[in-house]
Amino acid sequence: MKAPSNYRRLLPYLWPQWPFFARGFICILGYVICTVTLPYVVGRVADFLGKGEVEGVARWLGLAALVFLIRSAFQYGESLWTLAGSLNAVLALRKSVYAHLQHLGLSYFERSKTGDLTYRLTEDIDRIGEVVNSLSQRFLSSALQLVAIPAYMFYLNWPLTLASFILAPLMAWLIGRFGQRMSILSRRSQDRVSDLSSLLTEVLGNIRIVQAFAAQAYEVARFGKEADRNRAAKFRTERLRAVQYPVVGFLEAVSIMLLFLLGGWQISRNQLTPQEFVSYITAVALLLHPIDLVTHQYNDFKQAEASVDRIFELMAIAPDLEELPDAKTLPPARGKVEYQQVSFAYERDRPVLQDLSLVAQPGEVIALVGPSGAGKTTLVNLLMRFYDPQAGNIFIDGINIRDVSLASLRRQIGIVPQETVLFSGTIAQNIAYGQTKLDMEAIAQAAQVANARGFIEQLPDGYQSRVGERGLNLSGGQRQRIAIARAILLDPRILILDEATSALDSESEALVQQALERATQNRTVFVIAHRLSTVRSANRILFLENGKIVESGNHVDLIANGGRYADYHARQFSS
């Protein structure tokens, strides 16, 4: 069986586990030796039975029982060691794929389906693990038996053995043809399961919107269609399997019938004794099981080929952003940020930022205002290096952010997003997100600055209270204050506030606004604002439109100028 290139790419994950596989291989050799011994022992039992010597029968049956016991011990060893090696290799592969995903840029995740990625990291890798274990244990054992048992059969009676293998080429050809077709159908089936998983992730993650629009029937119908595609793809795969086994089984039965015919003919001519024929038929019976296993495992091998391809397709995706080989660590920042003639577009010929230049001085609060699509969020995303501009450069304290490591850059920039994201775990773990050691004193201080300490300490378990999935057991204001505490704990010199109060009620907004005022002290701050009431105290307001800064100044000056900001302000407050 020739493995495709993607199977060979598993070798770096398998090789470190060679001690486990080596022990398993020793056990497999023992198992095969015991298996090959059994036909001889059964033949001796038949010989003594033919002579009517009960003592000899008992002695050889006892030996047969001992061989079976030793064979079972070897079987346990091969299962244990190969399983341990396979699981360790799969764990290393899963960690490697997940780490690779963490380094892919935002643009990849924006065009990918979460359900598909989840399926690849779980089901696809599990299937690879099952096949690795099967190949290293059952397939290797079966392959050795397919060599050793026929060798014994040749030793007993080579003409009969040659005759029994007349149909072997046809069986091998059929198994290969079935396997190729199985690989194609399996890829289609796994793609359908991946689509179904993506649909479930999308709908269940937004169930509130589904129910708000009374779209349950629509989603049930959509799910039904996707599930039916999955059923049809699975049915085609299993139908092929259902055809294969009867065909191969029929050829095996014909081979055995031929053996009995030729064996009877040889016995009639005194070319073969009945005892030898019993031993020979025992060997044939022992041979049928590894043949069936090889057939089954070859199908599994071809099915898992689709999973291997899907995993290494993912691994082949290059990160959108690459650190320089000699990227340096960004030293503690003072907070000066400079954009020099920056241009950026998500799609060619559709610029989002055009030749934009900007200097933010340390400690300055800059508000970014303008209509949707003006480039406000893109401007701060470029500062975080979620994307790189197609033209121009961005500097922090005179250092080009392309020249520093991503980790050192992002550790000095805090962000409070508009849509707060909390992770499963405790409140303390969410505030100290990304840190392996929790400094409870620092966490409490960050919560104090964020106006969160009061409500946290009133919870039954305080900072050890679990937030629930996506923090749904907390109010919007509470989640937002935890997000502010998370940003403050980093003690960043640069802070990004993406309309952090837009979705809050008046009381929560007041608490969050107080927290933000504390958080912005002595920091360079970029505030993305849709509600202009939140930016009046900014040192500078930049009005963006069509990817350009069309106005710049403080609130009073911009209102007095009567330009785009004043018009925007008048329309917002008149409504």
Side-chain angles (χ1 to χ4, degrees):
M1 188 189 305
K2 183 179 178 181
S5 59
N6 276 341
Y7 266 111
R8 289 198 294 270
R9 293 179 66 180
L10 290 173
L11 290 177
Y13 303 96
L14 297 172
W15 176 248
Q17 309 307 322
W18 72 265
F20 294 103
F21 291 121
R23 294 168 195 160
F25 180 70
I26 292 172
C27 291
I28 288 171
L29 286 178
Y31 177 86
V32 172
I33 291 171
C34 290
T35 300
V36 176
T37 304
L38 286 173
Y40 174 76
V41 174
V42 172
R44 296 298 294 166
V45 170
D47 186 29
F48 281 102
L49 274 174
K51 296 175 182 178
E53 298 182 13
V54 178
E55 183 180 341
V57 171
R59 186 169 61 252
W60 282 97
L61 283 177
L63 181 59
L66 179 62
V67 171
F68 268 110
L69 179 62
I70 297 172
R71 181 174 179 259
S72 298
F74 279 128
Q75 188 175 26
Y76 170 76
E78 73 178 55
S79 299
L80 181 68
W81 293 119
T82 57
L83 178 62
S86 301
L87 290 178
N88 288 343
V90 166
L91 175 63
L93 176 63
R94 202 189 305 270
K95 287 180 176 179
S96 178
V97 175
Y98 188 71
H100 178 72
L101 278 176
Q102 297 298 318
H103 290 90
L104 296 181
L106 281 185
S107 59
Y108 172 76
F109 293 99
E110 289 168 351
R111 62 179 182 266
S112 299
K113 297 178 180 178
T114 303
D116 175 62
L117 297 178
T118 302
Y119 185 87
R120 296 192 195 210
L121 276 167
T122 53
E123 297 298 325
D124 277 334
I125 292 182
D126 282 342
R127 177 165 295 191
I128 292 171
E130 290 167 4
V131 168
V132 168
N133 182 50
S134 178
L135 290 177
S136 59
Q137 178 192 338
R138 298 183 186 90
F139 180 81
L140 183 57
S141 174
S142 299
L144 289 175
Q145 290 177 69
L146 290 177
V147 173
I149 295 175
Y152 177 74
M153 291 164 60
F154 266 101
Y155 167 76
L156 278 180
N157 193 308
W158 66 266
L160 199 58
T161 303
L162 287 178
S164 67
F165 287 157
I166 290 175
L167 296 178
L170 177 60
M171 292 173 63
W173 179 80
L174 284 173
I175 291 172
R177 292 288 295 175
F178 278 118
Q180 291 174 2
R181 183 63 181 162
M182 186 72 71
S183 177
I184 296 171
L185 293 179
S186 295
R187 177 62 188 253
R188 293 175 184 172
S189 178
Q190 286 167 251
D191 287 343
R192 294 285 76 78
V193 175
S194 180
D195 290 342
L196 189 63
S197 177
S198 297
L199 177 63
L200 286 171
T201 303
E202 177 185 34
V203 173
L204 297 180
N206 297 283
I207 193 66
R208 181 178 297 180
I209 299 298
V210 173
Q211 294 183 357
F213 282 83
Q216 293 96 325
Y218 167 77
E219 288 299 347
V220 168
R222 194 156 73 109
F223 176 81
K225 290 180 181 178
E226 199 63 58
D228 186 60
R229 292 192 188 100
N230 175 54
R231 178 205 60 80
K234 184 72 172 177
F235 178 76
R236 285 190 291 269
T237 303
E238 294 305 317
R239 182 175 60 187
L240 180 65
R241 191 192 296 270
V243 171
Q244 178 180 3
Y245 288 121
V247 170
V248 175
F250 173 75
L251 293 176
E252 288 177 348
V254 170
S255 298
I256 292 173
M257 293 175 193
L258 182 62
L259 282 179
F260 273 96
L261 178 63
L262 294 176
W265 180 76
Q266 285 191 334
I267 291 172
S268 69
R269 296 177 62 85
N270 294 321
Q271 296 175 353
L272 184 69
T273 67
Q275 293 80 12
E276 288 175 337
F277 187 65
V278 170
S279 180
Y280 190 90
I281 289 300
T282 302
V284 172
L286 290 172
L287 190 62
L288 291 179
H289 182 59
I291 290 175
D292 289 339
L293 277 179
V294 166
T295 303
H296 181 77
Q297 288 155 6
Y298 185 69
N299 286 340
D300 290 344
F301 178 87
K302 299 305 288 186
Q303 281 189 296
E305 192 173 67
S307 294
V308 174
D309 290 344
R310 283 162 53 84
I311 288 298
F312 285 104
E313 281 174 6
L314 196 58
M315 294 291 282
I317 298 171
D320 297 327
L321 296 171
E322 292 283 359
E323 290 185 356
L324 295 176
D326 57 347
K328 55 189 177 183
T329 300
L330 180 65
R334 293 183 298 108
K336 180 181 179 181
V337 178
E338 185 176 1
Y339 291 74
Q340 286 187 357
Q341 297 178 310
V342 169
S343 296
F344 177 80
Y346 294 102
E347 300 176 15
R348 186 177 297 179
D349 301 326
R350 296 182 63 181
V352 179
L353 296 177
Q354 303 181 61
D355 199 28
L356 183 145
S357 294
L358 162 67
V359 177
Q361 297 298 335
E364 190 175 13
V365 178
I366 294 182
L368 306 174
V369 176
S372 297
K376 304 183 295 295
T377 300
T378 300
L379 189 144
V380 295
N381 282 343
L382 293 177
L383 179 60
M384 297 282 292
R385 267 204 91 191
F386 291 144
Y387 310 94
D388 275 339
Q390 281 87 30
N393 292 288
I394 303 172
F395 299 87
I396 293 179
D397 295 339
I399 300 173
N400 194 322
I401 63 173
R402 293 178 191 259
D403 297 334
V404 302
S405 67
L406 290 172
S408 68
L409 168 69
R410 291 170 182 170
R411 285 196 191 102
Q412 300 204 45
I413 303 175
I415 182 167
V416 181
Q418 179 178 358
E419 183 179 350
T420 305
V421 176
L422 298 183
F423 296 89
S424 59
T426 65
I427 287 178
Q429 289 170 335
N430 270 276
I431 293 176
Y433 178 68
Q435 301 183 27
T436 54
K437 294 183 179 180
L438 302 184
D439 183 342
M440 295 307 301
E441 184 178 348
I443 290 171
Q445 290 176 354
Q448 178 71 37
V449 175
N451 253 354
R453 189 168 186 171
F455 84 81
I456 293 174
E457 293 181 349
Q458 289 176 4
L459 294 173
D461 297 320
Y463 290 93
Q464 301 308 316
S465 300
R466 302 193 71 83
V467 300
E469 187 174 2
R470 299 193 303 276
L472 294 181
N473 56 350
L474 299 174
S475 71
Q478 290 171 335
R479 292 198 300 271
Q480 197 69 301
R481 280 176 277 165
I482 290 175
I484 294 170
R486 182 164 59 197
I488 291 171
L489 188 65
L490 293 174
D491 193 23
R493 294 299 91 199
I494 302 167
L495 186 62
I496 297 170
L497 307 177
D498 188 356
E499 193 54 273
T501 63
S502 63
L504 304 179
D505 56 66
S506 299
E507 182 179 355
S508 296
E509 181 180 356
L511 291 170
V512 172
Q513 197 64 47
Q514 290 175 9
L516 291 175
E517 288 173 3
R518 296 175 187 170
T520 56
Q521 292 178 6
N522 302 318
R523 292 183 171 93
T524 304
V525 182
F526 290 89
V527 182
I528 299 174
H530 301 284
R531 290 161 56 172
L532 301 186
S533 59
T534 63
V535 301
R536 290 179 177 178
S537 60
N539 300 115
R540 194 159 25 129
I541 299 171
L542 307 179
F543 193 94
L544 276 70
E545 197 166 39
N546 296 324
K548 297 180 179 180
I549 299 173
V550 296
E551 284 188 315
S552 175
N554 62 36
H555 173 75
V556 175
D557 291 340
L558 292 177
I559 290 294
N561 290 341
R564 293 289 291 121
Y565 176 81
D567 179 58
Y568 203 66
H569 184 274
R571 283 189 285 112
Q572 187 170 115
F573 282 91
S574 65
S575 61

